[in-house]
Amino acid sequence: MAATIASLDCKSKASPANTPGAFATDPCFFSRGAHTYRVPLSLHADNRAALLERLKDHAPGVCLFVGGDAHERNDTDHEELFRQESYFQYLFGVAEPGWFGTVALPSGKATLFAPELGPEYAVWMGKIATREELGARYGVEVKWTSALAAHCATFDVTYAPRGVNSDSGNGIHERLPPPADVPNLSDDLSVPNALFLAACEARVFKSADEAALLRYASWVTSNAHVDVMRVVKPEMYEYELEAEFLYRCARDGGCRNCAYTSICACGPNAAVLHYGHAGAPNARRLESGDLALLDMGAEYHCYCSDITCTMPVDGAFTPAQKIVYEGVLEAQRAVYKIMRPGCSWTDCHLAAEREILKSLVTLGVLTGDLDAMVAAELGGVFLPCGLGHFIGVDCHDVGGYLPDHPPRSSRPGLRKLRTARVLDVGMMLTVEPGCYFIDALLDPALANPETAAFFDADRLAQFRGSGGVRLEDVILITAEGLENYTTCPRTVAEVESVMAGGAWPPAKDAAPDLNRKWAKFENGGLVDVAL
């Protein structure tokens, strides 16, 4: 069912993203400076309204949300850089740790509760803001946390969200339990409960201001990817590419944080889906003949981007690399042809699978009937991770599997899809088809008589250890279809041209079927441009 906010046509609503110069006068909630995006003051109030709409039939009371806490490294006094808990960020946008927030039902009145800081804080951390200053900063009444219990006691019941993230398996009620002294806590201990479901569903559908903010994060990310693409060459190290990306996002976009740990996977490492972790820390040297798979995304005001580019380290694709790369690009194109409101995300994944299998037939790795390959679930061998995911305040955003929506499939490939929902206006997802040569999946497929018959084992052996290809774009679903907020080089000609020093963006979009939405930065926001 499309909720109220889902009926919003993000293209038609007047928003700063489509109003040149609007950022110069609109009240600003957050900005990193004149050359960075101005988040409008209304964004979090609108998010609370979206939550309230989904709770309009809920019993009166007060909803309590727990903000994130600061953490120190091991037993030292080194405080790690704080990033706000995502539900709390969505509703209130508070930058500091240790806060609580309430939303009254049915009035929607919001109240924030800040820790009362002692004089030592001013010595080490800076000036202590008054409650009035904090209220002006966040646009709602602010009280001290010592007043939280008394505030909740003025309501008949206090509701707290309880539920489990279908992506991680983590429960919000386990991570962020309400304080023990809060009175009248609801006895609705079901998982999930109504408040959790309403908050998840609200986050699935982006307002126009949220979409504009996410577009900025992807604009910064796209530009940083292009900058990295220009410097890639043999004998560099993967961490140099990561460093270049982080620098560009911070310097040019005001993005202090990234949405996730950068994946800079070159050569065989491109077959490791979540490469770049502490045990495999982007440390391999780039060698001539490698492909570089770079999956990196900026984060601004806790709103995320997630973009992947794949490029030849030498600046030109080999014939075999070109076949695999263009197969993945055709998978994106096949998805964009059908990706619109009413389309199943599962159907999008299956459309991408077919194009990747086609390319492997062209490559000579597979042989036989394409429909028979699909029926044998061969797509899950080469695209095991699912087509993409919701994106928003988290890179892998919430709402993938909720009651009243399709359940997770048990089929290879599909069981790793992060949602099986039907697409609707206001959703934002990544589209990230890939083709990977992963020994841990190839060996069982070759040992299985039902799938082994499709392989040319000798030809396949030539590509073991070569890694793989992934392309990932950030997509907004609109009433007309989609808008692609990723403006990276995508065709073989574009990638090779940029790596050779060619201009970007191009003078003319040679691939309009990729639905890229081009923009320039002006007066604190993005303005549409046509190529």
Side-chain angles (χ1 to χ4, degrees):
M1 180 182 69
T4 300
I5 202 71
S7 65
L8 173 66
D9 179 353
C10 290
K11 285 185 68 178
S12 63
K13 178 183 174 183
S15 77
N18 297 315
T19 309
F23 290 86
T25 56
D26 284 0
C28 179
F29 184 88
F30 173 87
S31 174
R32 289 287 186 195
H35 71 289
T36 65
Y37 187 83
R38 290 170 55 88
V39 178
L41 186 63
S42 59
L43 186 143
H44 297 289
D46 288 345
N47 288 351
R48 295 192 295 272
L51 172 69
L52 199 67
E53 174 63 25
R54 288 164 175 78
L55 294 170
K56 60 185 179 183
D57 297 324
H58 200 282
V62 66
C63 302
L64 171 62
F65 294 89
V66 182
D69 282 328
H71 296 284
E72 293 176 339
R73 183 180 295 174
N74 302 325
D75 57 353
T76 75
D77 63 353
H78 168 73
E79 186 174 312
E80 297 174 353
L81 181 63
F82 175 72
R83 196 269 194 188
Q84 186 58 266
E85 195 278 330
S86 294
Y87 286 99
F88 204 78
Q89 175 70 17
Y90 173 79
L91 293 170
F92 302 106
V94 172
E96 301 92 347
W99 288 51
F100 300 90
T102 62
V103 178
L105 297 178
S107 71
K109 176 177 171 51
T111 308
L112 282 166
F113 298 84
E116 193 166 6
L117 304 169
E120 278 290 295
Y121 183 95
V123 175
W124 295 98
M125 307 295 280
K127 181 181 180 295
I128 298 174
T130 66
R131 289 194 299 112
E132 292 73 22
E133 289 170 333
L134 293 170
R137 180 186 304 171
Y138 293 120
V140 299
E141 181 184 12
V142 174
K143 299 181 180 181
W144 300 130
T145 53
S146 58
L148 176 63
H151 175 81
C152 291
T154 63
F155 296 87
D156 291 335
V157 62
T158 300
Y159 303 104
R162 293 177 58 87
V164 174
N165 186 319
S166 62
D167 231 46
S168 66
N170 295 328
I172 188 173
H173 52 293
E174 298 163 340
R175 292 188 300 108
L176 301 168
D181 61 347
V182 171
N184 306 322
L185 195 63
S186 169
D187 60 1
D188 182 2
L189 302 181
S190 59
V191 178
N193 65 14
L195 179 54
F196 175 81
L197 292 175
C200 281
E201 190 72 1
R203 283 176 58 181
V204 168
F205 297 98
K206 288 3 183 221
S207 68
D209 286 337
E210 284 187 291
L213 174 51
L214 286 160
R215 183 186 185 189
Y216 175 74
S218 287
W219 181 79
V220 171
T221 300
S222 296
N223 293 341
H225 269 283
V226 172
D227 290 331
V228 174
M229 193 175 288
R230 294 191 187 282
V231 303
V232 170
K233 60 184 178 181
E235 300 184 5
M236 294 182 71
Y237 282 83
E238 293 166 335
Y239 59 77
E240 294 181 74
L241 309 182
E242 179 180 20
E244 181 73 16
F245 178 81
L246 298 177
Y247 168 67
R248 294 291 182 172
C249 289
R251 191 198 73 170
D252 300 338
C255 298
R256 191 179 191 190
N257 290 341
C258 278
Y260 51 95
T261 301
S262 295
I263 299 171
C264 298
C266 298
N269 295 334
V272 181
L273 299 177
H274 280 178
Y275 181 75
H277 56 83
N282 293 330
R284 181 180 180 274
R285 194 175 83 157
L286 282 61
E287 303 294 344
S288 181
D290 283 350
L291 288 175
L293 187 160
L294 307 180
D295 186 338
M296 306 180 289
E299 178 181 290
Y300 190 84
H301 194 54
C302 295
Y303 278 73
C304 300
S305 183
D306 185 357
I307 291 173
T308 307
C309 296
T310 303
M311 65 209 69
V313 166
D314 294 308
F317 291 92
T318 68
Q321 289 172 344
K322 183 177 178 181
I323 290 171
V324 177
Y325 183 93
E326 290 187 331
V328 175
L329 183 60
E330 286 304 311
Q332 275 196 326
R333 285 182 158 130
V335 172
Y336 297 156
K337 286 179 182 177
I338 64 173
M339 195 177 182
R340 58 179 53 85
C343 178
S344 163
W345 188 237
T346 300
D347 290 343
C348 291
H349 176 93
L350 294 174
E353 264 193 7
R354 291 185 71 90
E355 294 302 321
I356 290 164
L357 292 174
K358 284 182 189 178
S359 71
L360 291 167
V361 171
T362 302
L363 192 65
V365 167
L366 298 179
T367 183
D369 180 72
L370 185 63
D371 289 335
M373 293 179 196
V374 172
E377 301 177 344
L378 203 57
V381 175
F382 296 95
L383 178 56
C385 54
L387 179 62
H389 49 82
F390 287 134
I391 190 166
V393 186
D394 284 309
C395 176
H396 294 168
D397 215 14
V398 298
Y401 293 99
L402 296 177
D404 302 325
H405 293 291
R408 189 184 296 273
S409 171
S410 61
R411 177 190 178 279
L414 291 181
R415 65 176 171 233
K416 295 300 183 181
L417 275 179
R418 297 179 187 273
T419 188
R421 292 179 64 152
V422 172
L423 301 180
D424 208 342
V425 177
M427 289 180 173
M428 289 194 70
L429 308 97
T430 68
V431 175
E432 52 174 314
C435 180
Y436 312 97
F437 297 95
I438 303 172
D439 288 340
L441 297 176
L442 293 171
D443 290 339
L446 288 169
N448 181 354
E450 294 183 8
T451 52
F454 294 108
F455 283 91
D456 183 326
D458 292 336
R459 180 63 170 162
L460 173 63
Q462 299 174 29
F463 297 97
R464 283 182 179 259
S466 64
V469 171
R470 176 162 69 250
L471 298 174
E472 183 175 17
D473 293 351
V474 176
I475 304 297
L476 170 69
I477 303 299
T478 69
E480 292 79 15
L482 64 94
E483 290 179 351
N484 187 346
Y485 286 168
T486 301
T487 54
C488 294
R490 280 294 179 244
T491 68
V492 165
E494 288 174 347
V495 172
E496 293 182 344
S497 172
V498 167
M499 294 189 76
W504 193 261
K508 183 178 180 181
D509 190 351
D513 57 338
L514 296 179
N515 298 279
R516 291 177 289 200
K517 190 172 176 63
W518 304 95
K520 65 178 180 179
F521 189 82
E522 183 177 289
N523 292 334
L526 296 182
V527 179
D528 295 346
V529 297
L531 299 184

